[in-house]
PDB file of all heavy atoms in Angstrom:
ATOM      1  N   GLY A 225     -18.332  -2.433  26.692  1.00 45.00           N
ATOM      2  CA  GLY A 225     -19.644  -2.883  26.541  1.00 45.00           C
ATOM      3  C   GLY A 225     -20.650  -2.668  27.693  1.00 45.00           C
ATOM      4  O   GLY A 225     -20.256  -2.661  28.776  1.00 45.00           O
ATOM      5  N   GLY A 226     -21.889  -2.538  27.362  1.00 44.00           N
ATOM      6  CA  GLY A 226     -22.899  -2.385  28.436  1.00 44.00           C
ATOM      7  C   GLY A 226     -24.278  -2.830  27.861  1.00 44.00           C
ATOM      8  O   GLY A 226     -24.472  -3.134  26.672  1.00 44.00           O
ATOM      9  N   ALA A 227     -25.209  -2.814  28.879  1.00 42.00           N
ATOM     10  CA  ALA A 227     -26.594  -3.316  28.376  1.00 42.00           C
ATOM     11  C   ALA A 227     -27.145  -2.504  27.280  1.00 42.00           C
ATOM     12  O   ALA A 227     -27.965  -2.947  26.398  1.00 42.00           O
ATOM     13  CB  ALA A 227     -27.550  -3.306  29.623  1.00 42.00           C
ATOM     14  N   ASP A 228     -26.766  -1.170  27.175  1.00 44.00           N
ATOM     15  CA  ASP A 228     -27.349  -0.313  26.196  1.00 44.00           C
ATOM     16  C   ASP A 228     -26.367   0.039  25.044  1.00 44.00           C
ATOM     17  O   ASP A 228     -26.632   0.849  24.257  1.00 44.00           O
ATOM     18  CB  ASP A 228     -27.767   1.066  26.945  1.00 44.00           C
ATOM     19  CG  ASP A 228     -28.917   0.777  27.908  1.00 44.00           C
ATOM     20  OD1 ASP A 228     -29.772   0.011  27.670  1.00 44.00           O
ATOM     21  OD2 ASP A 228     -28.855   1.424  29.027  1.00 44.00           O
ATOM     22  N   GLY A 229     -25.153  -0.637  25.170  1.00 46.00           N
ATOM     23  CA  GLY A 229     -24.184  -0.399  24.190  1.00 46.00           C
ATOM     24  C   GLY A 229     -24.467  -0.987  22.828  1.00 46.00           C
ATOM     25  O   GLY A 229     -25.252  -1.881  22.638  1.00 46.00           O
ATOM     26  N   PRO A 230     -23.716  -0.545  21.727  1.00 39.00           N
ATOM     27  CA  PRO A 230     -23.830  -1.182  20.440  1.00 39.00           C
ATOM     28  C   PRO A 230     -23.519  -2.642  20.469  1.00 39.00           C
ATOM     29  O   PRO A 230     -22.758  -3.058  21.377  1.00 39.00           O
ATOM     30  CB  PRO A 230     -22.881  -0.399  19.601  1.00 39.00           C
ATOM     31  CG  PRO A 230     -22.599   0.925  20.292  1.00 39.00           C
ATOM     32  CD  PRO A 230     -22.723   0.583  21.783  1.00 39.00           C
ATOM     33  N   LEU A 231     -23.966  -3.421  19.452  1.00 35.00           N
ATOM     34  CA  LEU A 231     -23.738  -4.866  19.451  1.00 35.00           C
ATOM     35  C   LEU A 231     -22.334  -5.185  19.552  1.00 35.00           C
ATOM     36  O   LEU A 231     -22.031  -6.185  20.401  1.00 35.00           O
ATOM     37  CB  LEU A 231     -24.419  -5.350  18.198  1.00 35.00           C
ATOM     38  CG  LEU A 231     -24.275  -6.846  17.990  1.00 35.00           C
ATOM     39  CD1 LEU A 231     -25.670  -7.507  17.891  1.00 35.00           C
ATOM     40  CD2 LEU A 231     -23.345  -7.268  16.879  1.00 35.00           C
ATOM     41  N   GLU A 232     -21.379  -4.492  18.931  1.00 37.00           N
ATOM     42  CA  GLU A 232     -20.037  -4.915  18.908  1.00 37.00           C
ATOM     43  C   GLU A 232     -19.360  -4.628  20.243  1.00 37.00           C
ATOM     44  O   GLU A 232     -18.245  -5.099  20.467  1.00 37.00           O
ATOM     45  CB  GLU A 232     -19.213  -4.279  17.761  1.00 37.00           C
ATOM     46  CG  GLU A 232     -19.073  -2.789  17.915  1.00 37.00           C
ATOM     47  CD  GLU A 232     -20.213  -2.023  17.251  1.00 37.00           C
ATOM     48  OE1 GLU A 232     -21.306  -2.690  16.971  1.00 37.00           O
ATOM     49  OE2 GLU A 232     -20.135  -0.776  16.981  1.00 37.00           O
ATOM     50  N   LEU A 233     -19.955  -3.901  21.098  1.00 51.00           N
ATOM     51  CA  LEU A 233     -19.364  -3.529  22.339  1.00 51.00           C
ATOM     52  C   LEU A 233     -19.690  -4.455  23.601  1.00 51.00           C
ATOM     53  O   LEU A 233     -19.190  -4.371  24.618  1.00 51.00           O
ATOM     54  CB  LEU A 233     -19.720  -2.103  22.780  1.00 51.00           C
ATOM     55  CG  LEU A 233     -19.183  -0.978  21.790  1.00 51.00           C
ATOM     56  CD1 LEU A 233     -19.531   0.325  22.380  1.00 51.00           C
ATOM     57  CD2 LEU A 233     -17.753  -1.126  21.447  1.00 51.00           C
ATOM     58  N   SER A 234     -20.631  -5.305  23.269  1.00 77.00           N
ATOM     59  CA  SER A 234     -21.223  -6.086  24.429  1.00 77.00           C
ATOM     60  C   SER A 234     -20.768  -7.589  24.381  1.00 77.00           C
ATOM     61  O   SER A 234     -20.952  -8.294  23.386  1.00 77.00           O
ATOM     62  CB  SER A 234     -22.767  -6.023  24.422  1.00 77.00           C
ATOM     63  OG  SER A 234     -23.239  -6.855  25.364  1.00 77.00           O
ATOM     64  N   ALA A 235     -20.119  -7.988  25.456  1.00 91.00           N
ATOM     65  CA  ALA A 235     -19.660  -9.431  25.460  1.00 91.00           C
ATOM     66  C   ALA A 235     -20.799 -10.335  25.382  1.00 91.00           C
ATOM     67  O   ALA A 235     -20.727 -11.422  24.938  1.00 91.00           O
ATOM     68  CB  ALA A 235     -18.812  -9.574  26.809  1.00 91.00           C
ATOM     69  N   ALA A 236     -21.976  -9.908  26.054  1.00 94.00           N
ATOM     70  CA  ALA A 236     -23.139 -10.702  26.019  1.00 94.00           C
ATOM     71  C   ALA A 236     -23.644 -11.038  24.611  1.00 94.00           C
ATOM     72  O   ALA A 236     -24.135 -12.145  24.298  1.00 94.00           O
ATOM     73  CB  ALA A 236     -24.310 -10.100  26.796  1.00 94.00           C
ATOM     74  N   HIS A 237     -23.491 -10.088  23.723  1.00 93.00           N
ATOM     75  CA  HIS A 237     -23.872 -10.297  22.333  1.00 93.00           C
ATOM     76  C   HIS A 237     -22.942 -11.394  21.695  1.00 93.00           C
ATOM     77  O   HIS A 237     -23.546 -12.250  20.938  1.00 93.00           O
ATOM     78  CB  HIS A 237     -23.734  -9.063  21.523  1.00 93.00           C
ATOM     79  CG  HIS A 237     -24.762  -8.006  21.663  1.00 93.00           C
ATOM     80  ND1 HIS A 237     -24.850  -7.097  22.625  1.00 93.00           N
ATOM     81  CD2 HIS A 237     -25.940  -7.724  20.866  1.00 93.00           C
ATOM     82  CE1 HIS A 237     -25.949  -6.357  22.552  1.00 93.00           C
ATOM     83  NE2 HIS A 237     -26.585  -6.756  21.484  1.00 93.00           N
ATOM     84  N   HIS A 238     -21.752 -11.371  22.080  1.00 94.00           N
ATOM     85  CA  HIS A 238     -20.787 -12.409  21.520  1.00 94.00           C
ATOM     86  C   HIS A 238     -21.104 -13.800  21.987  1.00 94.00           C
ATOM     87  O   HIS A 238     -21.171 -14.676  21.151  1.00 94.00           O
ATOM     88  CB  HIS A 238     -19.393 -11.941  21.901  1.00 94.00           C
ATOM     89  CG  HIS A 238     -18.292 -12.863  21.280  1.00 94.00           C
ATOM     90  ND1 HIS A 238     -18.042 -12.929  19.966  1.00 94.00           N
ATOM     91  CD2 HIS A 238     -17.444 -13.861  21.905  1.00 94.00           C
ATOM     92  CE1 HIS A 238     -17.074 -13.817  19.711  1.00 94.00           C
ATOM     93  NE2 HIS A 238     -16.741 -14.351  20.803  1.00 94.00           N
ATOM     94  N   LEU A 239     -21.582 -13.849  23.212  1.00 96.00           N
ATOM     95  CA  LEU A 239     -21.911 -15.238  23.802  1.00 96.00           C
ATOM     96  C   LEU A 239     -23.255 -15.695  23.181  1.00 96.00           C
ATOM     97  O   LEU A 239     -23.327 -16.902  22.835  1.00 96.00           O
ATOM     98  CB  LEU A 239     -22.043 -15.060  25.304  1.00 96.00           C
ATOM     99  CG  LEU A 239     -20.787 -14.851  26.104  1.00 96.00           C
ATOM    100  CD1 LEU A 239     -21.137 -14.581  27.518  1.00 96.00           C
ATOM    101  CD2 LEU A 239     -19.840 -15.990  26.000  1.00 96.00           C
ATOM    102  N   VAL A 240     -24.170 -14.796  22.948  1.00 96.00           N
ATOM    103  CA  VAL A 240     -25.414 -15.216  22.385  1.00 96.00           C
ATOM    104  C   VAL A 240     -25.214 -15.675  20.904  1.00 96.00           C
ATOM    105  O   VAL A 240     -25.732 -16.690  20.491  1.00 96.00           O
ATOM    106  CB  VAL A 240     -26.494 -14.044  22.468  1.00 96.00           C
ATOM    107  CG1 VAL A 240     -27.787 -14.357  21.618  1.00 96.00           C
ATOM    108  CG2 VAL A 240     -26.938 -13.860  23.835  1.00 96.00           C
ATOM    109  N   ALA A 241     -24.374 -14.918  20.168  1.00 95.00           N
ATOM    110  CA  ALA A 241     -24.182 -15.268  18.853  1.00 95.00           C
ATOM    111  C   ALA A 241     -23.473 -16.619  18.752  1.00 95.00           C
ATOM    112  O   ALA A 241     -23.717 -17.430  17.835  1.00 95.00           O
ATOM    113  CB  ALA A 241     -23.248 -14.140  18.138  1.00 95.00           C
ATOM    114  N   HIS A 242     -22.542 -16.902  19.671  1.00 97.00           N
ATOM    115  CA  HIS A 242     -21.853 -18.168  19.667  1.00 97.00           C
ATOM    116  C   HIS A 242     -22.759 -19.347  19.884  1.00 97.00           C
ATOM    117  O   HIS A 242     -22.750 -20.335  19.230  1.00 97.00           O
ATOM    118  CB  HIS A 242     -20.703 -18.215  20.713  1.00 97.00           C
ATOM    119  CG  HIS A 242     -19.978 -19.455  20.772  1.00 97.00           C
ATOM    120  ND1 HIS A 242     -18.893 -19.708  19.838  1.00 97.00           N
ATOM    121  CD2 HIS A 242     -20.038 -20.512  21.621  1.00 97.00           C
ATOM    122  CE1 HIS A 242     -18.444 -20.859  20.172  1.00 97.00           C
ATOM    123  NE2 HIS A 242     -19.041 -21.376  21.113  1.00 97.00           N
ATOM    124  N   ALA A 243     -23.713 -19.123  20.909  1.00 97.00           N
ATOM    125  CA  ALA A 243     -24.688 -20.175  21.112  1.00 97.00           C
ATOM    126  C   ALA A 243     -25.611 -20.493  19.985  1.00 97.00           C
ATOM    127  O   ALA A 243     -25.912 -21.612  19.625  1.00 97.00           O
ATOM    128  CB  ALA A 243     -25.551 -19.788  22.417  1.00 97.00           C
ATOM    129  N   LYS A 244     -26.087 -19.430  19.325  1.00 97.00           N
ATOM    130  CA  LYS A 244     -26.915 -19.630  18.120  1.00 97.00           C
ATOM    131  C   LYS A 244     -26.087 -20.266  17.036  1.00 97.00           C
ATOM    132  O   LYS A 244     -26.714 -21.231  16.391  1.00 97.00           O
ATOM    133  CB  LYS A 244     -27.332 -18.188  17.667  1.00 97.00           C
ATOM    134  CG  LYS A 244     -28.342 -18.291  16.397  1.00 97.00           C
ATOM    135  CD  LYS A 244     -28.848 -16.935  15.981  1.00 97.00           C
ATOM    136  CE  LYS A 244     -29.897 -17.089  14.918  1.00 97.00           C
ATOM    137  NZ  LYS A 244     -30.477 -15.723  14.557  1.00 97.00           N
ATOM    138  N   ALA A 245     -24.857 -19.918  16.780  1.00 97.00           N
ATOM    139  CA  ALA A 245     -24.077 -20.603  15.781  1.00 97.00           C
ATOM    140  C   ALA A 245     -23.745 -21.967  16.154  1.00 97.00           C
ATOM    141  O   ALA A 245     -23.631 -22.816  15.272  1.00 97.00           O
ATOM    142  CB  ALA A 245     -22.695 -19.826  15.602  1.00 97.00           C
ATOM    143  N   ALA A 246     -23.772 -22.327  17.351  1.00 97.00           N
ATOM    144  CA  ALA A 246     -23.571 -23.652  17.903  1.00 97.00           C
ATOM    145  C   ALA A 246     -24.777 -24.586  17.719  1.00 97.00           C
ATOM    146  O   ALA A 246     -24.769 -25.662  18.057  1.00 97.00           O
ATOM    147  CB  ALA A 246     -22.933 -23.660  19.370  1.00 97.00           C
ATOM    148  N   GLY A 247     -25.879 -23.971  17.335  1.00 96.00           N
ATOM    149  CA  GLY A 247     -27.103 -24.828  17.059  1.00 96.00           C
ATOM    150  C   GLY A 247     -28.309 -24.499  17.976  1.00 96.00           C
ATOM    151  O   GLY A 247     -29.310 -25.188  17.777  1.00 96.00           O
ATOM    152  N   SER A 248     -28.186 -23.497  18.927  1.00 96.00           N
ATOM    153  CA  SER A 248     -29.320 -23.296  19.756  1.00 96.00           C
ATOM    154  C   SER A 248     -30.604 -22.670  18.930  1.00 96.00           C
ATOM    155  O   SER A 248     -30.235 -21.690  18.135  1.00 96.00           O
ATOM    156  CB  SER A 248     -29.011 -22.339  20.815  1.00 96.00           C
ATOM    157  OG  SER A 248     -30.170 -21.996  21.661  1.00 96.00           O
ATOM    158  N   THR A 249     -31.684 -23.190  19.061  1.00 95.00           N
ATOM    159  CA  THR A 249     -32.882 -22.689  18.429  1.00 95.00           C
ATOM    160  C   THR A 249     -33.838 -22.016  19.430  1.00 95.00           C
ATOM    161  O   THR A 249     -34.873 -21.515  19.014  1.00 95.00           O
ATOM    162  CB  THR A 249     -33.583 -23.707  17.627  1.00 95.00           C
ATOM    163  OG1 THR A 249     -33.969 -24.737  18.484  1.00 95.00           O
ATOM    164  CG2 THR A 249     -32.599 -24.301  16.490  1.00 95.00           C
ATOM    165  N   ASP A 250     -33.540 -22.160  20.703  1.00 96.00           N
ATOM    166  CA  ASP A 250     -34.456 -21.691  21.856  1.00 96.00           C
ATOM    167  C   ASP A 250     -34.220 -20.182  21.994  1.00 96.00           C
ATOM    168  O   ASP A 250     -33.214 -19.537  21.459  1.00 96.00           O
ATOM    169  CB  ASP A 250     -34.085 -22.492  23.023  1.00 96.00           C
ATOM    170  CG  ASP A 250     -35.145 -22.421  24.039  1.00 96.00           C
ATOM    171  OD1 ASP A 250     -36.153 -21.655  23.833  1.00 96.00           O
ATOM    172  OD2 ASP A 250     -35.058 -23.049  25.076  1.00 96.00           O
ATOM    173  N   ASN A 251     -35.131 -19.571  22.767  1.00 97.00           N
ATOM    174  CA  ASN A 251     -34.817 -18.258  23.256  1.00 97.00           C
ATOM    175  C   ASN A 251     -33.482 -18.183  24.054  1.00 97.00           C
ATOM    176  O   ASN A 251     -33.149 -19.210  24.684  1.00 97.00           O
ATOM    177  CB  ASN A 251     -35.941 -17.743  24.265  1.00 97.00           C
ATOM    178  CG  ASN A 251     -37.376 -17.756  23.756  1.00 97.00           C
ATOM    179  OD1 ASN A 251     -38.182 -17.801  24.501  1.00 97.00           O
ATOM    180  ND2 ASN A 251     -37.505 -17.549  22.464  1.00 97.00           N
ATOM    181  N   ILE A 252     -32.689 -17.155  23.891  1.00 98.00           N
ATOM    182  CA  ILE A 252     -31.408 -17.020  24.509  1.00 98.00           C
ATOM    183  C   ILE A 252     -31.340 -15.752  25.290  1.00 98.00           C
ATOM    184  O   ILE A 252     -31.526 -14.710  24.715  1.00 98.00           O
ATOM    185  CB  ILE A 252     -30.240 -17.218  23.589  1.00 98.00           C
ATOM    186  CG1 ILE A 252     -30.290 -18.458  22.674  1.00 98.00           C
ATOM    187  CG2 ILE A 252     -28.964 -17.195  24.321  1.00 98.00           C
ATOM    188  CD1 ILE A 252     -29.249 -18.502  21.581  1.00 98.00           C
ATOM    189  N   THR A 253     -31.130 -15.910  26.605  1.00 98.00           N
ATOM    190  CA  THR A 253     -30.770 -14.673  27.341  1.00 98.00           C
ATOM    191  C   THR A 253     -29.436 -14.885  28.102  1.00 98.00           C
ATOM    192  O   THR A 253     -29.261 -15.996  28.644  1.00 98.00           O
ATOM    193  CB  THR A 253     -31.805 -14.435  28.407  1.00 98.00           C
ATOM    194  OG1 THR A 253     -33.127 -14.131  27.726  1.00 98.00           O
ATOM    195  CG2 THR A 253     -31.425 -13.219  29.342  1.00 98.00           C
ATOM    196  N   VAL A 254     -28.566 -13.954  27.969  1.00 97.00           N
ATOM    197  CA  VAL A 254     -27.239 -13.983  28.600  1.00 97.00           C
ATOM    198  C   VAL A 254     -27.039 -12.614  29.428  1.00 97.00           C
ATOM    199  O   VAL A 254     -27.195 -11.647  28.806  1.00 97.00           O
ATOM    200  CB  VAL A 254     -26.086 -14.246  27.594  1.00 97.00           C
ATOM    201  CG1 VAL A 254     -24.685 -13.918  28.330  1.00 97.00           C
ATOM    202  CG2 VAL A 254     -26.160 -15.630  27.090  1.00 97.00           C
ATOM    203  N   MET A 255     -26.579 -12.737  30.614  1.00 96.00           N
ATOM    204  CA  MET A 255     -26.350 -11.665  31.447  1.00 96.00           C
ATOM    205  C   MET A 255     -24.959 -11.809  32.069  1.00 96.00           C
ATOM    206  O   MET A 255     -24.672 -12.823  32.666  1.00 96.00           O
ATOM    207  CB  MET A 255     -27.325 -11.433  32.546  1.00 96.00           C
ATOM    208  CG  MET A 255     -27.061 -10.226  33.459  1.00 96.00           C
ATOM    209  SD  MET A 255     -28.295 -10.311  34.879  1.00 96.00           S
ATOM    210  CE  MET A 255     -29.910 -10.176  34.010  1.00 96.00           C
ATOM    211  N   LEU A 256     -24.057 -10.868  31.819  1.00 95.00           N
ATOM    212  CA  LEU A 256     -22.692 -10.876  32.511  1.00 95.00           C
ATOM    213  C   LEU A 256     -22.657  -9.692  33.548  1.00 95.00           C
ATOM    214  O   LEU A 256     -22.822  -8.516  33.185  1.00 95.00           O
ATOM    215  CB  LEU A 256     -21.662 -10.639  31.399  1.00 95.00           C
ATOM    216  CG  LEU A 256     -21.156 -11.875  30.613  1.00 95.00           C
ATOM    217  CD1 LEU A 256     -20.355 -11.427  29.420  1.00 95.00           C
ATOM    218  CD2 LEU A 256     -20.380 -12.797  31.500  1.00 95.00           C
ATOM    219  N   VAL A 257     -22.326 -10.090  34.776  1.00 95.00           N
ATOM    220  CA  VAL A 257     -22.186  -9.076  35.929  1.00 95.00           C
ATOM    221  C   VAL A 257     -20.688  -9.108  36.198  1.00 95.00           C
ATOM    222  O   VAL A 257     -20.176  -9.988  36.767  1.00 95.00           O
ATOM    223  CB  VAL A 257     -23.008  -9.487  37.005  1.00 95.00           C
ATOM    224  CG1 VAL A 257     -22.889  -8.355  38.130  1.00 95.00           C
ATOM    225  CG2 VAL A 257     -24.485  -9.634  36.636  1.00 95.00           C
ATOM    226  N   PHE A 258     -19.999  -8.033  35.828  1.00 94.00           N
ATOM    227  CA  PHE A 258     -18.473  -7.943  36.133  1.00 94.00           C
ATOM    228  C   PHE A 258     -18.312  -7.569  37.501  1.00 94.00           C
ATOM    229  O   PHE A 258     -18.804  -6.656  37.985  1.00 94.00           O
ATOM    230  CB  PHE A 258     -17.875  -7.002  35.130  1.00 94.00           C
ATOM    231  CG  PHE A 258     -17.818  -7.524  33.757  1.00 94.00           C
ATOM    232  CD1 PHE A 258     -18.803  -7.149  32.743  1.00 94.00           C
ATOM    233  CD2 PHE A 258     -16.755  -8.277  33.327  1.00 94.00           C
ATOM    234  CE1 PHE A 258     -18.757  -7.590  31.486  1.00 94.00           C
ATOM    235  CE2 PHE A 258     -16.677  -8.734  32.059  1.00 94.00           C
ATOM    236  CZ  PHE A 258     -17.645  -8.463  31.071  1.00 94.00           C
ATOM    237  N   LEU A 259     -17.523  -8.374  38.224  1.00 93.00           N
ATOM    238  CA  LEU A 259     -17.186  -8.151  39.643  1.00 93.00           C
ATOM    239  C   LEU A 259     -15.900  -7.247  39.732  1.00 93.00           C
ATOM    240  O   LEU A 259     -15.505  -6.821  40.887  1.00 93.00           O
ATOM    241  CB  LEU A 259     -17.025  -9.474  40.371  1.00 93.00           C
ATOM    242  CG  LEU A 259     -18.328 -10.263  40.307  1.00 93.00           C
ATOM    243  CD1 LEU A 259     -18.054 -11.655  41.048  1.00 93.00           C
ATOM    244  CD2 LEU A 259     -19.490  -9.632  40.990  1.00 93.00           C
ATOM    245  N   ARG A 260     -15.183  -7.055  38.634  1.00 89.00           N
ATOM    246  CA  ARG A 260     -14.146  -6.113  38.605  1.00 89.00           C
ATOM    247  C   ARG A 260     -14.086  -5.502  37.199  1.00 89.00           C
ATOM    248  O   ARG A 260     -14.641  -6.117  36.254  1.00 89.00           O
ATOM    249  CB  ARG A 260     -12.822  -6.672  39.092  1.00 89.00           C
ATOM    250  CG  ARG A 260     -12.368  -7.929  38.365  1.00 89.00           C
ATOM    251  CD  ARG A 260     -11.046  -8.343  38.871  1.00 89.00           C
ATOM    252  NE  ARG A 260     -10.574  -9.611  38.356  1.00 89.00           N
ATOM    253  CZ  ARG A 260      -9.267  -9.910  38.087  1.00 89.00           C
ATOM    254  NH1 ARG A 260      -8.352  -8.967  38.275  1.00 89.00           N
ATOM    255  NH2 ARG A 260      -8.905 -11.033  37.639  1.00 89.00           N
ATOM    256  N   PRO A 261     -13.511  -4.367  36.868  1.00 86.00           N
ATOM    257  CA  PRO A 261     -13.558  -3.811  35.623  1.00 86.00           C
ATOM    258  C   PRO A 261     -12.974  -4.675  34.518  1.00 86.00           C
ATOM    259  O   PRO A 261     -11.930  -5.408  34.735  1.00 86.00           O
ATOM    260  CB  PRO A 261     -12.706  -2.571  35.785  1.00 86.00           C
ATOM    261  CG  PRO A 261     -12.684  -2.130  37.241  1.00 86.00           C
ATOM    262  CD  PRO A 261     -12.753  -3.539  37.935  1.00 86.00           C
ATOM    263  N   PRO A 262     -13.730  -4.755  33.354  1.00 85.00           N
ATOM    264  CA  PRO A 262     -13.137  -5.650  32.277  1.00 85.00           C
ATOM    265  C   PRO A 262     -11.777  -5.296  31.859  1.00 85.00           C
ATOM    266  O   PRO A 262     -11.012  -6.147  31.401  1.00 85.00           O
ATOM    267  CB  PRO A 262     -14.235  -5.252  31.171  1.00 85.00           C
ATOM    268  CG  PRO A 262     -15.425  -4.887  31.850  1.00 85.00           C
ATOM    269  CD  PRO A 262     -14.918  -4.152  33.044  1.00 85.00           C
ATOM    270  N   GLU A 263     -11.362  -4.073  31.981  1.00 83.00           N
ATOM    271  CA  GLU A 263     -10.000  -3.629  31.644  1.00 83.00           C
ATOM    272  C   GLU A 263      -8.879  -4.508  32.427  1.00 83.00           C
ATOM    273  O   GLU A 263      -7.886  -4.768  31.951  1.00 83.00           O
ATOM    274  CB  GLU A 263      -9.766  -2.175  31.902  1.00 83.00           C
ATOM    275  CG  GLU A 263     -10.566  -1.303  30.908  1.00 83.00           C
ATOM    276  CD  GLU A 263     -12.025  -1.080  31.446  1.00 83.00           C
ATOM    277  OE1 GLU A 263     -12.337  -1.605  32.444  1.00 83.00           O
ATOM    278  OE2 GLU A 263     -12.734  -0.312  30.705  1.00 83.00           O
ATOM    279  N   GLU A 264      -9.362  -4.772  33.671  1.00 85.00           N
ATOM    280  CA  GLU A 264      -8.443  -5.556  34.509  1.00 85.00           C
ATOM    281  C   GLU A 264      -8.284  -6.974  34.080  1.00 85.00           C
ATOM    282  O   GLU A 264      -7.209  -7.542  34.167  1.00 85.00           O
ATOM    283  CB  GLU A 264      -8.917  -5.599  36.087  1.00 85.00           C
ATOM    284  CG  GLU A 264      -8.779  -4.233  36.756  1.00 85.00           C
ATOM    285  CD  GLU A 264      -9.137  -4.341  38.216  1.00 85.00           C
ATOM    286  OE1 GLU A 264      -9.304  -5.480  38.663  1.00 85.00           O
ATOM    287  OE2 GLU A 264      -9.257  -3.323  38.856  1.00 85.00           O
ATOM    288  N   LEU A 265      -9.343  -7.487  33.448  1.00 84.00           N
ATOM    289  CA  LEU A 265      -9.286  -8.827  32.948  1.00 84.00           C
ATOM    290  C   LEU A 265      -8.361  -8.882  31.690  1.00 84.00           C
ATOM    291  O   LEU A 265      -7.609  -9.809  31.544  1.00 84.00           O
ATOM    292  CB  LEU A 265     -10.729  -9.367  32.611  1.00 84.00           C
ATOM    293  CG  LEU A 265     -11.818  -9.241  33.603  1.00 84.00           C
ATOM    294  CD1 LEU A 265     -13.157  -9.890  33.075  1.00 84.00           C
ATOM    295  CD2 LEU A 265     -11.312  -9.844  34.878  1.00 84.00           C
ATOM    296  N   LEU A 266      -8.429  -7.866  30.895  1.00 81.00           N
ATOM    297  CA  LEU A 266      -7.572  -7.879  29.744  1.00 81.00           C
ATOM    298  C   LEU A 266      -6.138  -7.663  30.155  1.00 81.00           C
ATOM    299  O   LEU A 266      -5.249  -8.284  29.618  1.00 81.00           O
ATOM    300  CB  LEU A 266      -8.051  -6.577  28.821  1.00 81.00           C
ATOM    301  CG  LEU A 266      -9.290  -6.787  28.045  1.00 81.00           C
ATOM    302  CD1 LEU A 266      -9.688  -5.631  27.328  1.00 81.00           C
ATOM    303  CD2 LEU A 266      -9.211  -7.984  27.050  1.00 81.00           C
ATOM    304  N   ALA A 267      -5.927  -6.761  31.171  1.00 79.00           N
ATOM    305  CA  ALA A 267      -4.485  -6.507  31.600  1.00 79.00           C
ATOM    306  C   ALA A 267      -3.925  -7.805  32.246  1.00 79.00           C
ATOM    307  O   ALA A 267      -2.755  -8.144  31.990  1.00 79.00           O
ATOM    308  CB  ALA A 267      -4.485  -5.373  32.640  1.00 79.00           C
ATOM    309  N   ALA A 268      -4.739  -8.554  32.936  1.00 74.00           N
ATOM    310  CA  ALA A 268      -4.273  -9.794  33.565  1.00 74.00           C
ATOM    311  C   ALA A 268      -3.965 -10.845  32.496  1.00 74.00           C
ATOM    312  O   ALA A 268      -2.951 -11.568  32.559  1.00 74.00           O
ATOM    313  CB  ALA A 268      -5.324 -10.373  34.490  1.00 74.00           C
TER     314      ALA A 268
END
């Protein structure tokens, strides 16, 4: 996932969708800055 990637590739999209489903009606902005490659997180 990346800032310009398709919806299904971005973790930020998933977080925003979860907040909306949880009842948020406000503007929502989510930014994820990975400090190591996401692949390492999955491997761990």
Side-chain angles (χ1 to χ4, degrees):
D228 299 318
L231 180 121
E232 67 271 18
L233 299 184
S234 175
H237 281 86
H238 185 68
L239 292 173
V240 169
H242 181 84
K244 185 174 181 179
S248 176
T249 60
D250 200 355
N251 299 156
I252 306 175
T253 297
V254 167
M255 179 187 301
L256 278 167
V257 182
F258 288 94
L259 302 176
R260 54 179 173 144
E263 293 82 2
E264 290 187 12
L265 308 187
L266 288 173

